[in-house]
Amino acid sequence: MAHNRHHKILELDKVLAMLAQECSCSETAERAAELTPSSDLGTVRQLLAESWDAYGLIGRYGSPNFGGVKNVSNSLRRAQAGGSLSMLELLRIAEVLRIIRSLREWRGNCEGTVTSFDSLFMSLIPNKFLEEKITSAIISEDEMSDNASHELADIRKRKGRAQTKVRDLLDKMVHSATYQKFLQDPIVTIRSGRFVVPVKAECRSSVPGLVHDTSSSGATVFVEPMGAVEANNEIKVLESREAAEIERILFELSSQAGEFADSICAGYEVLLSLDLIFAKGRLAYNMRASLPDVNDNGVIRFNKARHPLIDKNRVVATDIRLGGTFDTLVITGPNTGGKTVTLKTIGLLTLMAGCGLLLPVSDESCVSVFDRILADIGDEQSIEQSLSTFSSHMRNIISIIDESDSSTLILLDELGAGTDPVEGAALATSILERLRSSGARIAATTHYAELKSFALNTPGVENGSCEFDVATLKPTYRLLIGVPGRSNAFAISERLGIPADVVERAKQLVSSDSVRFEDVIESLEQSRQEMESRSEEAQRLKSDAQKAKDAADLLKSTVERDREKILEQARGDAMRIVSQARAQAQQLTDEIDRMRKDLKNNASNDAASKAKSQLRSKLKNLEDLADPIVERHDDEDYVLPRPLRKGDPVIIADIGKKGVVTKDPDSSGNVEVQAGAIKTRVKIKNLRLVEGSTVTFGGAPKPQQRTSERKIVSEAVTEVDVRGLNVDEASIEIDKVIDSAVLRNLGELRIIHGKGTGALRAGLHQHFRRHPNIKSFRLGVYGEGEAGVTIIELK
């Protein structure tokens, strides 16, 4: 093709050679080296999607093994036509079938992934029957297995017996005293496929038989004794039958392979396609490549682009833009500053995308498809260029002008160089104007100040420069869009040792307009560097601030989550404690009622009433302890506008929930409030009156009916808290729990009496020593409450 010259200038052939090295099959490598870029947007997107999916599969599951598969199409077509294949050809067919089967299995193990080339995997049709039939019959390319057929196994057994028979016969001869003196060596050997013995030439007549060969010196003749002729004849017959049977087996296997020729050939083509796709994925890994967006509107944006043929440890990433707000990029800067590399990077990456290769760029990059990519890039850039070099460049540019249109990318290196600077600059400007009129996208490098001015003054044309560090005389290889470059010839010459007076005189010879223009460029460059430094600092501060904000947000959310979790747990614990306390109270009340019915004297009834009163007091204390509300101290200046009454709607300030007063306040400053389905006792100062409404309750609640059929469900109590009671009150409470525990066959109780002065603990211990149901007791250990708790063991 005519454009292959331009592709070679941009070194696409070298990248395709790298791709070929990643291929497993020789035929795939040939196809890789011959790839041509596509200009169809849909095709390019499909090819890139396939490469990207292969890249992902390789990263997660490793690369599949294609095993260096060989082309078996010709063999299969010959078998399909009725021909017989060799053992080597059949083994290659079996290898293709094995790889097809292993690829299907490999894809099946890649669970949960969908790729753009799954249809290729699905079109692979394994044929394990034919694969195993070939591999079980053929051991190697020149050896058939005994298991290939029963007939072949029988022939080989008979052949082995015949060979053993003739060997035994000849062994007796060579070891007998009669014949040893006639033999050159006491061995049995083979000549022309028959067993013979080496006889001295002068003793030939002493050993009757057939001569099959003579040694090179003529001193030895190889004789087949007459006694071995019949046995050797039998071996020859069996060998002929063996060869015929092998031919029959090969023909049978070839016929079966021919029946599946179409599907195997199609599978082979799919193998080559998959091999090429995964080769692109492996090459992308080596290049640290990524998937760009693809468009057809001529917009190119390469972020952190790296030329793939430069050592990845030395290449400098650069940002490149073309299209969009400008269609022409004029790149200026000193020699060896990276201008030509930038041009080649633009062209080469665009060609690679057209071939379906992922690009060595960072995320959010994009590339355009073009019908043609035309380049005029020369490596000779010295003042010794001759007219022939200039003419050669002009001929290239003429063909580029003829072929250019709106779907063309044009790359021009040192446009207008090699002739008079004034005429060259004018010619370069005119060429750019002509190419722009065709709608092409253009990137050109130059040293001419006139082209810098042209870019500054022409809409759609943008300056670019390759950054150069004058202090070190080294390029940074960074492309700066929007800033014209300086050639830095004076600075470089002075740094290299040109006498200062020569440099100074050269500066005087430069026109004032050129000096002012270079000064403006230098000022712009200094401003750019300052702005870039400030931007980097601002970006760093912004990044630090964002990290701090993220950390604060995370801490806040964690604290809120932990707070809600703790509150929820506290509410649950409180409800559990209250439920246990109510169950215990109900149980004791029922026991008191039962005792009242059993005992008829008034003294017993008075004792029961006293115990019941103490029980209610204890229940009240338990409910106070179980209340999950924790006072908050915001809004401490709030004063109720009037005393609370039964039926007043209120807000519980600590938890922000609404409730209704169900009882008038007591003497301790507490009031009972119903919040939803829960009744709780709250301090008056923790309530906020909702004025303007009152809830009216119904009549007095009906007394609870107790019947003998009522079932009481309660939990066994294993812990008693008697803190705040005196010894007598605590003893009564503990005795009730002990009685209940004995009825439930509990073995141990935990009595919480606190440490305090120790008087309550000492009194209870005296009581425990006299109690008939207590076997032993001890103080708690670390983790149980220590001296504030006594553990009772019941009988």
Side-chain angles (χ1 to χ4, degrees), residues 222-279:
F222 296 93
V223 178
E224 178 185 5
M226 296 305 296
V229 171
E230 187 61 30
N232 274 326
N233 288 342
E234 183 182 359
I235 293 172
K236 277 293 185 180
V237 171
L238 290 173
E239 286 178 346
S240 298
R241 291 180 58 187
E242 178 186 21
E245 178 63 14
I246 290 175
E247 285 297 325
R248 187 196 66 79
I249 294 170
L250 291 177
F251 182 78
E252 180 183 341
L253 292 174
S254 300
S255 298
Q256 292 177 348
E259 293 176 3
F260 300 101
D262 292 336
S263 65
I264 298 175
C265 286
Y268 174 74
E269 289 298 321
V270 172
L271 288 182
L272 296 182
S273 299
L274 288 173
D275 186 23
L276 183 58
I277 290 172
F278 279 95

Side-chain angles (χ1 to χ4, degrees), residues 556-572:
K556 179 181 178 183
S557 62
T558 302
V559 170
E560 289 292 335
R561 185 170 60 252
D562 293 345
R563 175 179 175 275
E564 290 299 324
K565 184 177 180 180
I566 292 171
L567 286 176
E568 187 64 27
Q569 183 178 358
R571 294 188 186 101

Side-chain angles (χ1 to χ4, degrees), residues 191-192 194-196 210-214 221-224 232:
R191 286 293 186 275
S192 302
R194 303 178 74 88
F195 288 93
V196 296
L210 304 176
V211 177
H212 287 281
D213 198 4
T214 304
V221 291
F222 296 93
V223 178
E224 178 185 5
N232 274 326

Side-chain angles (χ1 to χ4, degrees), residues 374 549 649:
L374 310 176
K549 180 179 180 299

